[in-house]
Amino acid sequence: MTVKQLSLPELADACAASGVTGVGLWREPVQAYGVRAAAKLVRDAGLTVTTLCRGGFLTAISPAERAEAIADNRRAVDEAAALGTDTLVLVSGGLPAGSKDLPGARERIADALAELGPYAEEHGVRLAIEPLHPMYAADRCVVSTLTQALDLAERFPAHQVGVAVDTYHVWWDDQAPAQIARAGAGDRIHTFQLADWTTPLPEGVLNGRGQLGDGAIDLRAWQAHVEAAGYTGPIEVELFNDGLWARDGREVLTETTERFRAHTSP
Amino acid sequence: MTVKQLSLPELADACAASGVTGVGLWREPVQAYGVRAAAKLVRDAGLTVTTLCRGGFLTAISPAERAEAIADNRRAVDEAAALGTDTLVLVSGGLPAGSKDLPGARERIADALAELGPYAEEHGVRLAIEPLHPMYAADRCVVSTLTQALDLAERFPAHQVGVAVDTYHVWWDDQAPAQIARAGAGDRIHTFQLADWTTPLPEGVLNGRGQLGDGAIDLRAWQAHVEAAGYTGPIEVELFNDGLWARDGREVLTETTERFRAHTSP
């Protein structure tokens, strides 16, 4: 998503040229390219698919909408398995129209995970609940903190449900380091993502994630937290940024790898 | 601030016409009108000044900037006392330019409160730390939760330092109800403010607070939380909203009182 202006073949080429050996993919471009074709493309390019984004949106109240959401998440699990990644990231969903009931929405997520967790396990895929920044609580994700994400995840086996730790979403939270330790102790850190926090936020607050090093987040400190918790998996960079998307994708990928080296520990 | 398009005399008139008996004032219009003149105006109108907004911005590192901030907060205490309100609301301040050290910034706030608390007490004023929504952590307020605000406040006597509970800032936080109980038990709820959460957020995320009832927040539930915690003080409505500011201020005040009655309990 950081370089969504690149097609999948361009992305595979650019990763090879930049020495990037793993990539997190999003469902829409994969579906547009064809899941099997995308899987072959990245496999032939020697790329590991680190995660698939995203399942989720599990907070609907109406039975028909819930059934559709579950079915779509099963398809997302299938796609993850076909791509050879073991992790499907979940954006859990916001409040249904007219509802003000955050606890109820969170319980409906748990109900859905009870169905999806075993299905994911059968396909060798782990679900990663991503707590999103509290500014998305109404319209995108009622799971706002790692504490809440782990409270949900721990109702299920760790090989079914864990969490995604994204610096953009948790950096402000003084309880997050202890929750990362909790997640690590339970083997539930299913991915670790970097983005920096820059201001002012753009309208809609979706596409203003900062290039690494441009913002307020001590990225190296968060890397140290997840590593101290035992995390040894890939570190993903996920920048939604209109400014980066307007530039040449290969140039952005090169810049991002340089920033990654400058702002993380080896 | 909800009807900042009204001058102070217009505000006093409109409050009398709407049956509003208390008003929270902001420093800038009070200073422009003259503190003594403003105090006489609201007193003659029979209005109680519920709070003065705002002191704070206590996170600077350089000694000169820190000294200036402390001096300005002493003036804010003086103004609060002159207006006859017992509560000065604090927006604590964001990260200084180039800093990524949230814990350090929070400690500097504590250092400043140690100076300001006794000064406020001498003037019959209580300081109210307002946790701001985490989306303001970088540039406006490193105190993002009631938990953090109380961790700071409880280092000082309750009649010196408490908290401001604003639904806009805390509504997403499942720990906030317990923290409201903690604050009430310690007699530290120094004001309670209402605003609703509407999306999409505007650029800069400052002036998109929703009119009561237009958004995702169960205002009556939060009122019940503060009342269960023993709070018997005024309920303020604080809407920063470009749409409301563009309208006739008296009409907005009337609408707001109607919304208040519709979305709170008697």
Side-chain angles (χ1 to χ4, degrees):
Chain A
M1 189 53 76
T2 304
V3 287
K4 73 168 184 177
Q5 60 271 59
L6 298 179
S7 68
L8 284 180
E10 289 170 342
L11 176 67
D13 273 358
C15 283
S18 297
V20 174
T21 58
V23 63
L25 295 178
W26 277 57
R27 293 183 69 195
E28 293 76 5
V30 166
Q31 290 170 348
Y33 192 79
V35 178
R36 281 167 172 252
K40 180 173 188 326
L41 176 78
V42 293
R43 196 168 52 239
D44 290 351
L47 276 172
T48 301
V49 179
T50 51
T51 59
L52 180 66
C53 278
R54 58 190 185 188
F57 295 95
L58 301 169
T59 53
I61 293 172
S62 86
E65 285 178 83
R66 292 187 61 71
E68 173 47 36
I70 295 285
D72 186 58
N73 277 272
R74 289 177 190 258
R75 286 192 294 272
V77 168
D78 298 342
E79 292 161 15
L83 291 166
T85 178
D86 63 357
T87 303
L88 174 67
V89 177
L90 303 183
V91 171
S92 298
L95 288 171
S99 171
K100 305 181 188 220
D101 179 13
L102 289 170
R106 293 177 187 131
E107 276 311 303
R108 290 193 296 279
I109 297 165
D111 292 345
L113 292 173
E115 288 192 54
L116 292 170
Y119 184 82
E121 180 180 2
E122 287 164 25
H123 293 75
V125 174
R126 311 173 303 180
L127 306 173
I129 303 171
E130 181 164 11
L132 257 58
H133 193 284
M135 69 187 175
Y136 301 116
D139 52 358
R140 199 157 294 269
C141 185
V142 296
V143 180
S144 302
T145 63
L146 276 171
T147 309
Q148 293 171 345
L150 285 164
D151 287 349
L152 277 169
E154 288 176 354
R155 302 192 197 184
F156 308 97
H159 60 275
Q160 287 185 4
V161 186
V163 300
V165 178
D166 184 321
T167 56
Y168 191 77
H169 298 304
V170 307
W171 77 281
W172 57 272
D173 183 2
D174 60 354
Q175 298 180 20
Q179 295 302 313
I180 287 172
R182 171 186 170 192
D187 202 17
R188 291 185 194 268
I189 304 177
H190 288 352
T191 186
F192 175 51
Q193 303 180 328
L194 300 180
D196 214 335
W197 182 272
T198 50
T199 57
L201 295 168
E203 183 182 0
V205 301
L206 272 181
N207 301 328
R209 300 197 193 181
Q211 177 59 280
L212 309 184
D214 282 351
I217 305 178
D218 187 344
L219 300 170
R220 208 174 255 110
W222 290 102
Q223 180 189 3
H225 288 311
V226 297
E227 291 181 352
Y231 183 72
T232 57
I235 304 180
E236 302 183 293
V237 179
E238 186 184 62
L239 310 178
F240 301 177
N241 186 305
D242 287 323
L244 295 179
W245 290 334
R247 290 168 50 193
D248 177 78
R250 287 173 174 268
E251 179 190 303
V252 171
L253 187 63
T254 300
E255 174 186 285
T256 303
T257 58
E258 290 166 0
R259 293 296 189 95
F260 183 90
R261 280 190 289 272
H263 296 282
T264 61
S265 303
Chain B
M1 187 55 75
T2 304
V3 287
K4 74 168 183 177
Q5 60 270 60
L6 298 179
S7 69
L8 285 179
E10 289 170 341
L11 176 67
D13 272 356
C15 284
S18 297
V20 174
T21 57
V23 64
L25 296 178
W26 277 56
R27 293 182 69 196
E28 293 76 4
V30 166
Q31 291 170 346
Y33 193 80
V35 178
R36 282 168 173 253
K40 181 173 188 323
L41 175 78
V42 293
R43 195 168 53 239
D44 291 351
L47 277 172
T48 302
V49 179
T50 51
T51 60
L52 181 65
C53 277
R54 58 195 186 185
F57 295 94
L58 301 168
T59 53
I61 294 173
S62 87
E65 286 177 84
R66 290 188 60 72
E68 171 47 36
I70 295 284
D72 186 58
N73 276 273
R74 289 177 190 260
R75 287 191 294 273
V77 168
D78 298 343
E79 292 161 15
L83 290 167
T85 179
D86 62 358
T87 303
L88 174 66
V89 177
L90 304 183
V91 171
S92 298
L95 289 171
S99 171
K100 304 181 189 220
D101 179 13
L102 288 169
R106 294 178 187 133
E107 276 312 302
R108 290 193 296 279
I109 296 165
D111 292 345
L113 292 173
E115 287 192 55
L116 291 170
Y119 184 84
E121 180 180 3
E122 287 165 23
H123 293 74
V125 174
R126 310 173 303 179
L127 306 174
I129 303 171
E130 181 165 13
L132 257 57
H133 193 284
M135 67 187 177
Y136 302 116
D139 52 358
R140 198 158 294 267
C141 184
V142 296
V143 181
S144 302
T145 63
L146 276 171
T147 309
Q148 293 171 345
L150 285 165
D151 287 349
L152 276 169
E154 288 176 355
R155 302 192 196 184
F156 309 97
H159 59 275
Q160 287 185 2
V161 187
V163 299
V165 178
D166 184 321
T167 56
Y168 191 77
H169 298 304
V170 307
W171 77 280
W172 58 271
D173 182 3
D174 60 354
Q175 298 181 18
Q179 295 302 312
I180 287 172
R182 171 187 170 192
D187 203 18
R188 291 184 195 268
I189 304 177
H190 287 354
T191 186
F192 176 52
Q193 301 179 330
L194 300 180
D196 214 334
W197 182 273
T198 50
T199 57
L201 295 167
E203 183 183 0
V205 300
L206 271 180
N207 300 329
R209 300 197 193 181
Q211 176 60 279
L212 309 185
D214 281 352
I217 305 179
D218 186 344
L219 300 170
R220 209 173 255 112
W222 291 102
Q223 180 189 3
H225 289 311
V226 298
E227 291 181 353
Y231 183 73
T232 57
I235 304 179
E236 302 182 295
V237 179
E238 186 185 63
L239 310 177
F240 300 178
N241 185 305
D242 287 323
L244 296 179
W245 290 335
R247 291 169 48 193
D248 176 78
R250 287 172 174 268
E251 180 191 304
V252 171
L253 187 64
T254 300
E255 174 185 286
T256 303
T257 59
E258 290 167 358
R259 293 296 188 97
F260 183 89
R261 280 191 289 271
H263 296 282
T264 61
S265 303

Short mmCIF file of all heavy atoms in Angstrom, two decimals, chain A residues 6 9-21 45 47 249-251 253-254 257-258 261:
data_model
loop_
_atom_site.label_atom_id
_atom_site.label_comp_id
_atom_site.label_asym_id
_atom_site.label_seq_id
_atom_site.Cartn_x
_atom_site.Cartn_y
_atom_site.Cartn_z
N LEU A 6 2.31 1.40 -7.93
CA LEU A 6 2.97 0.35 -8.71
C LEU A 6 2.00 -0.82 -8.94
O LEU A 6 1.30 -1.24 -8.02
CB LEU A 6 4.21 -0.18 -7.99
CG LEU A 6 5.34 0.82 -7.73
CD1 LEU A 6 6.49 0.13 -6.99
CD2 LEU A 6 5.85 1.41 -9.05
N PRO A 9 3.37 -6.52 -10.91
CA PRO A 9 4.66 -6.84 -11.54
C PRO A 9 5.72 -5.76 -11.31
O PRO A 9 6.89 -6.07 -11.06
CB PRO A 9 4.30 -6.96 -13.03
CG PRO A 9 2.84 -7.30 -13.04
CD PRO A 9 2.26 -6.57 -11.87
N GLU A 10 5.30 -4.50 -11.39
CA GLU A 10 6.26 -3.40 -11.10
C GLU A 10 6.75 -3.49 -9.66
O GLU A 10 7.94 -3.26 -9.38
CB GLU A 10 5.58 -2.05 -11.32
CG GLU A 10 5.30 -1.71 -12.78
CD GLU A 10 4.43 -0.47 -12.95
OE1 GLU A 10 3.75 -0.07 -11.95
OE2 GLU A 10 4.39 0.09 -14.05
N LEU A 11 5.84 -3.82 -8.75
CA LEU A 11 6.21 -3.95 -7.34
C LEU A 11 7.25 -5.06 -7.16
O LEU A 11 8.25 -4.89 -6.46
CB LEU A 11 4.97 -4.25 -6.50
CG LEU A 11 5.19 -4.52 -5.01
CD1 LEU A 11 5.69 -3.26 -4.31
CD2 LEU A 11 3.91 -5.02 -4.35
N ALA A 12 7.00 -6.21 -7.80
CA ALA A 12 7.93 -7.33 -7.67
C ALA A 12 9.30 -6.94 -8.21
O ALA A 12 10.34 -7.21 -7.58
CB ALA A 12 7.38 -8.55 -8.41
N ASP A 13 9.32 -6.28 -9.36
CA ASP A 13 10.59 -5.79 -9.94
C ASP A 13 11.29 -4.83 -8.99
O ASP A 13 12.50 -4.94 -8.73
CB ASP A 13 10.31 -5.03 -11.24
CG ASP A 13 10.28 -5.95 -12.44
OD1 ASP A 13 10.51 -7.17 -12.27
OD2 ASP A 13 9.99 -5.44 -13.55
N ALA A 14 10.52 -3.86 -8.49
CA ALA A 14 11.12 -2.82 -7.65
C ALA A 14 11.65 -3.40 -6.35
O ALA A 14 12.70 -2.97 -5.85
CB ALA A 14 10.09 -1.71 -7.38
N CYS A 15 10.94 -4.37 -5.79
CA CYS A 15 11.42 -5.00 -4.57
C CYS A 15 12.75 -5.70 -4.83
O CYS A 15 13.70 -5.58 -4.05
CB CYS A 15 10.38 -5.99 -4.03
SG CYS A 15 8.98 -5.20 -3.21
N ALA A 16 12.80 -6.44 -5.93
CA ALA A 16 14.04 -7.14 -6.26
C ALA A 16 15.19 -6.13 -6.41
O ALA A 16 16.29 -6.33 -5.88
CB ALA A 16 13.87 -7.94 -7.55
N ALA A 17 14.90 -5.02 -7.09
CA ALA A 17 15.95 -4.02 -7.31
C ALA A 17 16.39 -3.36 -6.01
O ALA A 17 17.54 -2.93 -5.87
CB ALA A 17 15.43 -2.96 -8.30
N SER A 18 15.47 -3.26 -5.05
CA SER A 18 15.78 -2.58 -3.78
C SER A 18 16.24 -3.54 -2.70
O SER A 18 16.50 -3.10 -1.57
CB SER A 18 14.53 -1.83 -3.28
OG SER A 18 14.15 -0.82 -4.16
N GLY A 19 16.30 -4.82 -3.01
CA GLY A 19 16.71 -5.77 -1.98
C GLY A 19 15.65 -6.04 -0.93
O GLY A 19 15.95 -6.53 0.15
N VAL A 20 14.40 -5.73 -1.28
CA VAL A 20 13.30 -6.02 -0.36
C VAL A 20 12.81 -7.44 -0.63
O VAL A 20 12.47 -7.77 -1.77
CB VAL A 20 12.13 -5.02 -0.57
CG1 VAL A 20 10.93 -5.41 0.29
CG2 VAL A 20 12.59 -3.60 -0.24
N THR A 21 12.79 -8.27 0.41
CA THR A 21 12.53 -9.70 0.19
C THR A 21 11.13 -10.13 0.65
O THR A 21 10.76 -11.28 0.43
CB THR A 21 13.57 -10.55 0.96
OG1 THR A 21 13.48 -10.20 2.35
CG2 THR A 21 14.96 -10.27 0.44
N ALA A 45 9.30 -14.21 -8.14
CA ALA A 45 10.21 -13.10 -7.86
C ALA A 45 11.01 -13.33 -6.57
O ALA A 45 11.83 -12.50 -6.19
CB ALA A 45 9.43 -11.80 -7.75
N LEU A 47 9.80 -13.39 -3.61
CA LEU A 47 9.27 -12.55 -2.53
C LEU A 47 8.41 -13.37 -1.56
O LEU A 47 7.58 -14.16 -2.00
CB LEU A 47 8.38 -11.46 -3.11
CG LEU A 47 9.02 -10.18 -3.62
CD1 LEU A 47 7.97 -9.33 -4.33
CD2 LEU A 47 9.63 -9.40 -2.46
N GLY A 249 6.74 5.53 -7.89
CA GLY A 249 6.69 4.46 -6.89
C GLY A 249 8.05 3.86 -6.59
O GLY A 249 8.36 3.54 -5.44
N ARG A 250 8.89 3.70 -7.62
CA ARG A 250 10.21 3.12 -7.38
C ARG A 250 11.05 4.05 -6.50
O ARG A 250 11.79 3.60 -5.64
CB ARG A 250 10.93 2.87 -8.71
CG ARG A 250 10.34 1.70 -9.46
CD ARG A 250 10.95 1.57 -10.86
NE ARG A 250 10.47 0.36 -11.50
CZ ARG A 250 11.10 -0.81 -11.44
NH1 ARG A 250 12.24 -0.94 -10.79
NH2 ARG A 250 10.59 -1.87 -12.04
N GLU A 251 10.93 5.34 -6.78
CA GLU A 251 11.66 6.32 -5.99
C GLU A 251 11.19 6.27 -4.52
O GLU A 251 11.99 6.32 -3.59
CB GLU A 251 11.40 7.71 -6.59
CG GLU A 251 12.07 8.86 -5.89
CD GLU A 251 11.52 10.19 -6.44
OE1 GLU A 251 11.61 10.43 -7.66
OE2 GLU A 251 10.99 10.98 -5.62
N LEU A 253 9.88 3.70 -3.00
CA LEU A 253 10.34 2.45 -2.40
C LEU A 253 11.81 2.58 -1.98
O LEU A 253 12.20 2.16 -0.88
CB LEU A 253 10.16 1.28 -3.37
CG LEU A 253 10.48 -0.09 -2.77
CD1 LEU A 253 9.52 -0.42 -1.63
CD2 LEU A 253 10.43 -1.18 -3.84
N THR A 254 12.61 3.18 -2.84
CA THR A 254 14.02 3.39 -2.50
C THR A 254 14.16 4.29 -1.27
O THR A 254 14.89 3.98 -0.33
CB THR A 254 14.76 4.03 -3.69
OG1 THR A 254 14.64 3.14 -4.81
CG2 THR A 254 16.22 4.26 -3.36
N THR A 257 13.20 2.37 1.88
CA THR A 257 14.22 1.44 2.38
C THR A 257 15.36 2.20 3.05
O THR A 257 15.90 1.76 4.07
CB THR A 257 14.77 0.55 1.25
OG1 THR A 257 15.33 1.38 0.23
CG2 THR A 257 13.67 -0.31 0.66
N GLU A 258 15.69 3.37 2.50
CA GLU A 258 16.73 4.19 3.14
C GLU A 258 16.26 4.69 4.51
O GLU A 258 17.02 4.64 5.50
CB GLU A 258 17.09 5.38 2.24
CG GLU A 258 17.83 4.99 0.98
CD GLU A 258 17.88 6.11 -0.06
OE1 GLU A 258 17.32 7.22 0.21
OE2 GLU A 258 18.46 5.89 -1.13
N ARG A 261 16.36 1.89 7.06
CA ARG A 261 17.69 1.63 7.63
C ARG A 261 18.10 2.72 8.61
O ARG A 261 18.74 2.46 9.62
CB ARG A 261 18.72 1.51 6.50
CG ARG A 261 18.71 0.12 5.83
CD ARG A 261 19.90 -0.07 4.90
NE ARG A 261 19.79 0.75 3.69
CZ ARG A 261 19.18 0.36 2.57
NH1 ARG A 261 18.63 -0.84 2.50
NH2 ARG A 261 19.13 1.15 1.54
#
